[in-house]
Amino acid sequence: MRMSGAGVVAAAIAVLMLAATGCGSEENAGAESSDLEFVAVFHNPPAQPYMAQLRRGIEDAAEKLGVNARVTGPEKFSPAKQADLLTSAIAGKPDGIITSIPDPRPVDGPLRRAIDEGIPVFVLDARDERPLDERIPYYDFVGVSVALEGELGAEALLKEGKPKLAVCPVSEAGNISLEKTCDGFEARMKKEGVPVDTIQISLGQNPSQQAADIRSYLNGHPDADAIFTLGPIDALSVNKVLEEEGLLDRVKHSTVVLDKTIVKPFRDGEIVGVVEPQPYFQGFMSVVGLYLKNRYGFEFAHDVFTDVLVDASDLDRLSKQLDQGIR
Amino acid sequence: MVATLVTFVAFSAVAPGFLTLGSLASTLVLAAELGIVAMAVTMLMISGEFDLSVGSVLGLSSMLIPYTMVTYGWPAGVAIVFAMGAALLIGLANGLIVTKIGIPSFIVTLGGLLLWRGMSAVISEGQTFSVPYESSALAVFSQRFGEGFSVSAIWFAAVLLLLAFMLGRTMFGNWVFASGGNEPAARNMGVPVDRTRIMLFMCTAGAAALVAVIQVGRFTSVDPQRGANLELEAITAAVVGGTLLTGGYGSVIGTALACLMLGMIRNGLVLAGVADYWYAATIGLLVVGAVVINHYVSRAARAHGSD
């Protein structure tokens, strides 16, 4: 049996209701479920804010479903280190692997080996973007479409008027997903005849350096009047530079991922739109997916995309979720 | 000094907008924050020790400010004092473990790098924390003026003057050079090597905390990765500024000039439209070049001394 993306969501809700009420066959399944062991291996540190939301979703779902879930990842962005961690995880013969694929090449071997050994692989956040016949045959994916993410970021800016020059700053060199997000942004902007610069900036761990990069670029490109940032840390640096340079009215800014740090500039209209990939939802769904696979043998047919474009009118609802720590 | 001037002239020629006040302000902000930490690290390196934990101490100090403000409702001033106090205690612990137990500083502070980075993540549970309101106490450390200039430049100048004076004009400065130049001889002459080094470990941690406050004041939020890799940048600046990795020789003025040069390179490459990757490559070349030059200079000095 194969399921659509909407089917996954419906099944997840049903499973949670059964788990919560203790109905159906869960009486017997309880003992079996507690034996289930899932391992999540990220490409970034699990302590990074975005990854922490994925982790929280995974851990909450595991607790609610009565399964064990461990989360690990490299100390910094590294698909190669991620591949090593996957190899270790697979050696433990878990009942499922949860992972992200910003770069498929390093993780191709370990993940195919896991699948060959009968370990279901659930992908979240970033998927293998290669053509279907080359793609790692993972069980399912819930996460972002990088191209869609870029398109939505462009849409938010285009609503404000046609920019003269748009910029997509990338702070994580070598992260193919980020570069493809900028490609999606550029493709949508080019449809409207807007030129796009994709530029490299410093990592957010040194916000002063990152802000200096952006400031230098804006000083050298006075035509730039639209910026699409790829995360809240980058967004905050850009917002700070625009504020300090008095450019908040002239340069429009959209970004990806809503967190508490950008609520104020978003509410004040300094950020015109946020593409929200809902990482908590992704993490939660990955555990539900593996649970369904292990317990009932369900199959899925389609990738499920979680990107939604939100504007400031959604903030009351979203703020409640931020306070709950689930967004 | 010459290398800094050459860098300035070169980017003035090839990078459009490099000579604007805004661009110079950007350079100064970068140089100031790195410089405050790098000058303290320079003093420690002259005394023959390393501190690889400065980036993580900066990260933890940064996190403690909004965390205590949000979680315990502490006023910003109290949170700042607490964060700085925590950093000084970490410096004290590093110094005591190195000098009293005899474990190499490289190992002790490598452990600190991991421990304090991990503690930032534990405290914040991986989340980003923001200061809940605008604070005049934080503004003291990060206020901006003119064409984008920051108070951090004044802190940079103050730390430079203080450390240059301490190193060049006081007994403590002599102890620093003596501790790194020839430790047994220094001990025989009554130099309090352990006390000197403990104070320098506290100085590097305190400098990291100062930059933490400056950054929190400006950006108002902190994530658990704040400050990562700062330790390498600080050592790079010290080496490019002429400090010997073997200890006993160096200058905080040289380090300050190196920080200005690194800031110019960073800023100039962006203005010249050169990809970010080239920054790391350029810095790598500079470090190797500086070490080679230092090697020949110290060999020539030894040869001159034996004549």
Side-chain angles (χ1 to χ4, degrees):
Chain A
M1 176 185 168
R2 298 185 72 79
M3 295 174 76
S4 69
V8 178
V9 178
I13 293 167
V15 167
L16 285 173
M17 286 177 68
L18 286 170
T21 56
C23 294
S25 60
E26 288 300 296
E27 228 168 67
N28 295 329
E32 289 173 30
S33 297
S34 63
D35 292 337
L36 290 177
E37 175 90 20
F38 304 146
V39 182
V41 182
F42 298 155
H43 62 274
N44 259 328
Q48 193 201 51
Y50 180 82
M51 294 290 153
Q53 285 297 342
L54 291 173
R55 175 185 200 143
R56 186 169 282 196
I58 289 170
E59 289 175 347
D60 281 3
E63 190 186 339
K64 284 187 166 57
L65 292 173
V67 301
N68 300 308
R70 285 187 293 118
V71 179
T72 185
E75 297 78 28
K76 58 183 181 180
F77 170 74
S78 171
K81 189 83 182 285
Q82 180 191 14
D84 293 340
L85 292 169
L86 278 168
T87 302
S88 303
I90 292 160
K93 307 247 180 256
D95 298 296
I97 295 274
I98 299 165
T99 196
S100 45
I101 311 184
D103 180 355
R105 290 161 297 189
V107 298
D108 191 285
L111 289 181
R112 285 185 195 275
R113 198 160 55 249
I115 293 161
D116 288 346
E117 289 178 17
I119 301 171
V121 172
F122 199 105
V123 179
L124 44 59
D125 183 38
R127 63 179 179 159
D128 184 347
E129 293 278 346
R130 295 176 296 186
L132 210 54
D133 57 337
E134 294 173 29
R135 190 191 280 192
I136 298 163
Y138 43 76
Y139 167 53
D140 200 24
F141 167 80
V142 174
V144 304
S145 156
V146 284
L148 175 63
E149 208 166 61
E151 285 170 28
L152 291 173
E155 293 287 351
L157 293 169
L158 288 166
K159 278 183 192 168
E160 303 291 315
K162 183 179 166 182
K164 285 186 205 153
L165 172 62
V167 196
C168 187
V170 177
S171 61
E172 216 173 74
N175 186 332
I176 292 173
S177 291
L178 296 185
E179 284 162 14
K180 289 199 169 179
T181 307
C182 283
D183 290 346
F185 176 73
E186 183 170 357
R188 180 66 189 88
M189 280 293 185
K190 285 210 163 151
K191 273 188 193 167
E192 305 298 326
V194 179
V196 172
D197 272 354
T198 297
I199 61 168
Q200 286 288 326
I201 58 169
S202 305
L203 284 165
Q205 60 208 25
N206 185 341
S208 301
Q209 198 158 302
Q210 193 175 57
D213 290 349
I214 293 156
R215 189 177 168 166
S216 298
Y217 175 84
L218 290 174
N219 284 340
H221 299 79
D223 276 358
D225 54 358
I227 299 184
F228 174 52
T229 49
L230 304 179
I233 295 171
D234 299 1
L236 207 63
S237 295
V238 164
N239 185 255
K240 182 51 79 176
V241 171
L242 296 180
E243 179 196 318
E244 289 172 352
E245 298 289 303
L247 293 172
L248 283 170
D249 287 337
R250 191 176 71 74
V251 180
K252 303 299 176 193
H253 176 199
S254 66
T255 190
V256 176
V257 183
L258 181 68
D259 80 1
K260 284 182 179 176
T261 60
I262 61 166
V263 166
K264 185 174 181 304
F266 191 27
R267 196 182 292 282
D268 294 346
E270 296 166 3
I271 292 173
V272 297
V274 178
V275 183
E276 174 49 21
Q278 310 186 89
Y280 179 88
F281 175 71
Q282 294 176 36
F284 203 103
M285 290 302 295
S286 64
V287 174
V288 170
L290 286 176
Y291 178 88
L292 290 170
K293 173 73 175 170
N294 276 278
R295 291 280 288 112
Y296 306 109
F298 280 119
E299 298 287 345
F300 301 123
H302 299 294
D303 296 340
V304 179
F305 298 128
T306 54
D307 289 312
V308 288
L309 180 61
V310 296
D311 59 39
S313 65
D314 297 316
L315 258 176
D316 287 341
R317 174 178 63 86
L318 299 175
S319 291
K320 277 183 197 160
Q321 294 182 335
L322 283 167
D323 290 339
Q324 288 173 287
I326 60 170
R327 191 174 286 273
Chain B
M1 172 72 90
V2 173
T4 306
L5 281 173
V6 168
T7 307
F8 180 77
V9 172
F11 279 115
S12 300
V14 301
F18 185 75
L19 279 179
T20 60
L21 273 179
S23 163
L24 295 176
S26 265
T27 299
L28 203 51
V29 167
L30 290 179
E33 291 182 9
L34 175 59
I36 290 168
V37 176
M39 288 187 295
V41 166
T42 297
M43 299 264 284
L44 185 65
M45 284 172 65
I46 294 171
S47 81
E49 301 292 353
F50 285 98
D51 189 346
L52 298 180
S53 67
V54 282
S56 297
V57 172
L58 186 151
L60 181 66
S61 316
S62 302
M63 185 59 79
L64 286 174
I65 296 168
Y67 178 80
T68 52
M69 289 174 76
V70 170
T71 310
Y72 305 117
W74 289 3
V78 176
I80 290 169
V81 171
F82 179 73
M84 286 193 157
L88 290 174
L89 280 177
I90 291 170
L92 177 64
N94 284 341
L96 287 173
I97 294 170
V98 170
T99 58
K100 303 301 178 192
I101 304 179
I103 298 173
S105 57
F106 186 86
I107 303 298
V108 173
T109 58
L110 180 62
L113 181 154
L114 300 170
L115 173 63
W116 305 123
R117 175 71 52 211
M119 287 308 292
S120 288
V122 168
I123 289 171
S124 64
E125 295 182 333
Q127 303 298 310
T128 302
F129 269 82
S130 299
V131 293
Y133 50 83
E134 287 189 12
S135 147
S136 53
L138 282 167
V140 170
F141 294 87
S142 58
Q143 193 75 46
R144 295 177 81 75
F145 57 91
E147 296 282 325
F149 289 91
S150 165
V151 172
S152 61
I154 295 170
W155 285 104
F156 176 49
V159 172
L160 170 60
L161 287 174
L162 177 69
L163 296 188
F165 175 77
M166 282 170 65
L167 202 56
R169 306 273 177 203
T170 66
M171 181 66 80
F172 182 77
N174 291 338
W175 292 348
V176 172
F177 281 111
S179 300
N182 189 335
E183 185 183 334
R187 287 188 190 280
N188 288 336
M189 290 173 67
V191 171
V193 173
D194 290 354
R195 183 158 34 110
T196 303
R197 286 176 173 165
I198 289 170
M199 286 178 70
L200 290 172
F201 275 111
M202 292 176 73
C203 183
T204 56
L210 174 59
V211 175
V213 181
I214 290 170
Q215 290 191 346
V216 173
R218 184 178 179 203
F219 293 97
T220 68
S221 76
V222 182
D223 72 281
Q225 293 303 309
R226 175 68 54 87
N229 295 336
L230 176 69
E231 56 285 340
L232 295 181
E233 288 183 57
I235 292 172
T236 298
V239 170
V240 172
T243 302
L244 288 183
L245 287 164
T246 47
Y249 182 83
S251 135
V252 290
I253 295 172
T255 300
L257 287 170
C259 290
L260 279 171
M261 184 169 72
L262 295 177
M264 279 187 237
I265 292 170
R266 172 96 239 162
N267 195 26
L269 287 177
V270 177
L271 285 170
V274 179
D276 183 73
Y277 314 112
W278 281 101
Y279 176 71
T282 311
I283 301 307
L285 274 175
L286 271 176
V287 171
V288 174
V291 171
V292 169
I293 291 168
N294 286 346
H295 172 76
Y296 281 108
V297 167
S298 58
R299 204 163 72 168
R302 278 199 302 274
H304 182 71
S306 63
D307 285 345

